[in-house]
């Protein structure tokens, strides 16, 4: 892999904001999802308790955008899902991937 000349501090700064890898949602809601993801992952990161982060994000999305939402959080996973058009977001925050979609 090419050396980009980034030191550890620069890499940590880049990773300190949620990065949307894939979405087909309204940009306004995506911004709110990114805020929620950052808050929940920050709370879950020390214990790596992804289950609670997923449950809380699912509850928030169910209230915000109507049920039923599915949420997966963790390190090192891939996905291939069928979802309702306009209701999928895949976000990376720090070392954690978060996938939320509506079936």
């Amino acid at each position: 892999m090419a050396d980009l000349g980034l030191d550890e501090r620069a890499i940590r700064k880049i990773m300190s904001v949620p990065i949307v890898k894939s979405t087909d949602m309204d940009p306004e809601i995506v911004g709110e999802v990114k805020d929620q993801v950052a808050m929940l992952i920050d709370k879950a990161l020390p214990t790596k308790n992804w289950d609670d982060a997923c449950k809380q994000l699912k509850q928030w999305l169910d209230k915000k955008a109507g049920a039923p939402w599915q949420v997966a959080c963790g390190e090192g996973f891939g996905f291939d899902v069928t979802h309702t058009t306009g209701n999928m977001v895949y976000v990376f925050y720090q070392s954690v991937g978060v996938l939320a979609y509506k079936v």
Side-chain angles (χ1 to χ4, degrees), residues 62-79:
D62 284 347
K63 288 179 187 173
K64 181 75 178 175
W69 282 86
Q70 304 297 318
V71 179
C73 303
E75 298 172 307
F77 73 91
F79 70 94

Side-chain angles (χ1 to χ4, degrees), residues 11-36:
I11 293 171
R12 289 191 186 279
K13 183 177 179 182
I14 292 168
M15 293 176 64
S16 68
V17 295
I19 300 167
V20 177
K21 296 294 286 183
S22 179
T23 188
D24 63 356
M25 293 174 66
D26 178 33
E28 183 179 315
I29 295 175
V30 171
E32 293 178 31
V33 169
K34 286 171 46 177
D35 293 341
Q36 287 292 317

